[in-house]
Amino acid sequence: MSPNKNDAVAPIGVFDSGMGGLTVLRALHERLPGEDIIYFGDTARVPYGTKGEKTVRAFASQDAGLLVELGVKMVVVACNTASAFALEHLRETMPVPILGVINPGVRTALAMTRGGPVGVIGTSGTIRSGRYQEGLAAGGLGEDRILVQECPLFVPLVEEGLMGHAMTVMAIEEYLLPLRDAGVDTLILGCTHYPALKDDIGRFMGPDVKLVDSADALALAAQDRLTELALLRGDTSREGKLEFYLSDIPWKFQEIGARFLGKPIEEVITVGLDEMEAFSDSND
Ligand code: DGL
């Protein structure tokens, strides 16, 4: 039987549109090594970043529903696009705490900026949702200090492992030149895949621009929230178990998985889309 969701020994659930969220799993596991973590990647329906709000919300409900069914004590929404479109809905409908990636990233950026403009890069969905812009504005930044840019080519470039490649350098220049010219002092990497481009982006933007890795910010927020709820696992000497569920096994999945996770994924459980649809909520 799975542990009770209100029990500190229950696992943490993490979901993403695909495998990019393994960057968040990795950051969580590094910060909270004793916690068991269940990861679900919706590899059959990735990308979410090009899809509309209603579709992303319906998928996110099913993703979180699966994790709740598996007995998690908290759901971490690793996907920026799903955080942008579905967080409030999940908070209203799920019986466990839901943590998204946007607020932690915004908080970190607000703490890092030195008075210049703050840049945000993400998928088309994330940027068009306006959620990062709202968060930064609520934190006191005027419109002239918030600069955003959709970077749709970054996800496929990272999935192909083209870090440091001339094509990636060109895409970075194309997307980020206006932000660099505007003098942003802080740049939020608002997508699961972008931490993999940290070195390339850092080289282009220069050493004075602080890069906000949303995976690190989210892991810290998860630790704080679990502590607050008395759901943090006390026994820190154990090595937490990591379990992987995917809705499809992509070509090159071992290679892509290791790129994001930093080590190979040994075993994966596949969940069919018909099974996922059973977790739809009535509003979808
Ligand atoms: N996980 C998505 C995000 O962080 C990127 C990949 C996708 O478009 O689904 O926004």
Side-chain angles (χ1 to χ4, degrees), residues 110-159:
L110 290 171
M112 279 179 172
T113 179
R114 289 150 288 148
V118 171
V120 184
I121 55 176
T123 65
S124 301
T126 297
I127 298 303
R128 288 170 195 224
S129 76
R131 291 289 186 274
Y132 272 108
Q133 296 91 313
E134 283 164 21
L136 290 169
L141 293 199
E143 235 175 77
D144 55 325
R145 284 191 58 201
I146 305 171
L147 298 173
V148 299
Q149 177 65 50
E150 302 170 23
C151 303
L153 289 177
F154 284 180
V155 166
L157 287 167
V158 170
E159 298 224 333

Side-chain angles (χ1 to χ4, degrees), residues 216-233:
D216 288 340
L218 182 52
L220 180 62
Q223 181 177 31
D224 289 348
R225 195 72 207 287
L226 288 170
T227 309
E228 209 177 283
L229 297 168
L231 282 176
L232 201 62
R233 212 175 164 128

Side-chain angles (χ1 to χ4, degrees), residues 2 30 60 74 80 101 146 163 172 186 263 278:
S2 42
E30 274 167 21
M74 166 185 272
N80 284 255
V101 76
I146 305 171
M163 283 71 76
I172 288 174
T186 306
K263 58 181 181 187

Side-chain angles (χ1 to χ4, degrees), residues 71-85:
V72 302
K73 61 186 173 187
M74 166 185 272
V75 170
V76 173
V77 185
C79 179
N80 284 255
T81 311
S83 294
F85 285 138

Side-chain angles (χ1 to χ4, degrees), residues 19 53 55 104 113-114 144 182 185 210 215 223 262 267 274 281:
M19 301 184 66
E53 173 162 8
T55 305
T113 179
R114 289 150 288 148
D144 55 325
D185 67 20
K210 300 272 180 250
Q223 181 177 31
E267 205 188 315
D274 47 340
D281 68 34

